[in-house]
Amino acid sequence: MTRAGIGLRLLVQALAFVIVIGPHWLSLRFGRGRLAAHIPVLFHRLFLRLFSVRVTQTGTPPPPCEPALVLANHVSWLDIVALGSLRPLSFVAKSEIEGWPLIGPLAKLQRTVFIERAKRAATASVNATVGQRLADGELIVLFAEGTTGDGLRLLPFRSSLVGAARAALAAEAGGLARIRLQPLALAYPRRNGLPVTRAERPEIAWYGDMDLAPHLALFATRGPIDVHVDWGAPIAFDAATDRKVATAQAESAVRRGLREIRLGNPPSRPVPALPEVPGESADVSAPGIAAV
């Protein structure tokens, strides 16, 4: 892609932002936020189309309106765009992002929950906030490794913020009998139609002390990227669930999904619904493979 082509695409994305920012703010300020929930999905999809990124899904995501805490691996800033294009959701992110130019305001528009990782006391506050959001029926994505990785290995999942699921059960308003923990494996298996090599990983994965600007330049110039998202089997979290055990189960599910994707055999198996709770529907939409 030429510099002129990149500039034109960025201009289109910027114009889209100018068009939607007003309706988005009005929906959050004066409405119920339904429009604001869907605007980021369209914004992310436009970016993916402009820069030739294809997102493919396997497994079955949580049904619409069912709250879930998604526990995912983290490879790149592009994870945010890929997952944000699938459906209305929000993220938990480090507090530093809130002050970043452009990215910070965009994260706020997606109603991101920020956490100061250096303060241990911040965990309880974030868990309470995320717990209430879950009790209100939202889908929240937590990158459970706590940082980005190189895309070649999965870092241990941290269980501290999974305490948000327990906070959702105890929420004063909208308290639930159980919360769905949803493992999610995210990988970048192909570029320009060919398998991504080990040497190409740093062009996609953003981790360590990498500078963002050169990384963005590589992303824009090296050609189309395929992203694969696998929704694993849900884990029912209730009052008797051990947080650390549930986190370990989610990590194992994500590791299994990544292994299958790397082998070129992404799982297309149906994902079972959670056990039915009296008074709730256990209906889950049919599984399958879908591309955005």
Side-chain angles (χ1 to χ4, degrees):
M1 190 182 300
T2 65
R3 290 186 178 181
I6 294 171
L8 180 60
R9 285 165 174 79
L10 290 176
L11 178 59
V12 170
Q13 193 74 35
L15 289 174
F17 178 77
V18 172
I19 291 171
V20 303
I21 185 62
H24 188 284
W25 182 82
L26 290 172
S27 176
L28 286 177
R29 182 69 176 82
F30 301 107
R32 297 183 178 179
R34 293 178 181 176
L35 179 62
H38 286 86
I39 283 178
V41 176
L42 300 177
F43 187 78
H44 291 312
R45 288 183 179 181
L46 174 62
F47 182 92
L48 297 178
R49 183 172 293 275
L50 289 173
F51 289 93
S52 301
V53 180
R54 186 179 69 164
V55 181
T56 303
Q57 300 183 77
T58 47
T60 304
C65 300
E66 178 178 345
L69 182 62
V70 178
L71 303 183
N73 63 306
H74 198 9
V75 180
S76 170
W77 58 270
L78 191 54
D79 300 350
I80 307 294
V81 185
L83 296 180
S85 72
L86 300 179
R87 59 189 297 173
L89 48 78
S90 296
F91 297 91
V92 178
K94 60 183 181 180
S95 58
E96 294 92 325
I97 292 177
E98 188 174 8
W100 289 3
L102 183 59
I103 296 177
L106 290 174
K108 291 178 183 178
L109 290 176
Q110 190 119 21
R111 301 184 66 214
T112 296
V113 179
F114 298 102
I115 178 171
E116 294 186 56
R117 294 184 298 180
K119 296 183 178 180
R120 297 186 63 181
T123 299
S125 176
V126 169
N127 280 344
T129 300
V130 174
Q132 187 57 63
R133 297 268 294 271
L134 290 169
D136 291 339
E138 296 189 34
L139 189 69
I140 306 290
V141 176
L142 172 63
F143 293 117
E145 294 166 290
T147 185
T148 51
D150 58 10
L152 296 173
R153 58 196 176 98
L154 186 67
L155 301 175
F157 276 16
R158 301 181 179 183
S159 64
S160 56
L161 290 178
V162 179
R166 194 168 304 284
L169 302 178
E172 293 183 6
L176 304 168
R178 56 109 173 96
I179 283 288
R180 171 192 288 247
L181 296 185
Q182 183 74 59
L184 185 147
L186 190 149
Y188 296 79
R190 304 179 74 82
R191 187 162 208 171
N192 290 307
L194 299 174
V196 173
T197 66
R198 180 180 290 267
E200 291 175 313
R201 289 290 174 187
E203 299 176 7
I204 298 174
W206 184 52
Y207 58 97
D209 296 326
M210 287 183 174
D211 291 329
L212 182 58
H215 192 268
L216 291 174
L218 285 173
F219 158 75
T221 57
R222 294 301 174 89
I225 296 176
D226 285 346
V227 186
H228 193 103
V229 173
D230 176 58
W231 301 88
I235 300 167
F237 191 103
D238 58 28
T241 302
D242 185 298
R243 168 173 54 88
K244 293 184 178 181
V245 171
T247 303
Q249 291 174 341
E251 180 184 333
S252 295
V254 171
R255 192 181 304 277
R256 191 162 51 247
L258 291 174
R259 183 170 58 249
E260 294 295 333
I261 294 171
R262 289 175 189 140
L263 292 173
N265 183 33
S268 58
R269 73 279 184 262
V271 175
L274 291 176
E276 186 172 357
V277 174
E280 294 184 0
S281 172
D283 177 58
V284 176
S285 55
I289 300 177
V292 175

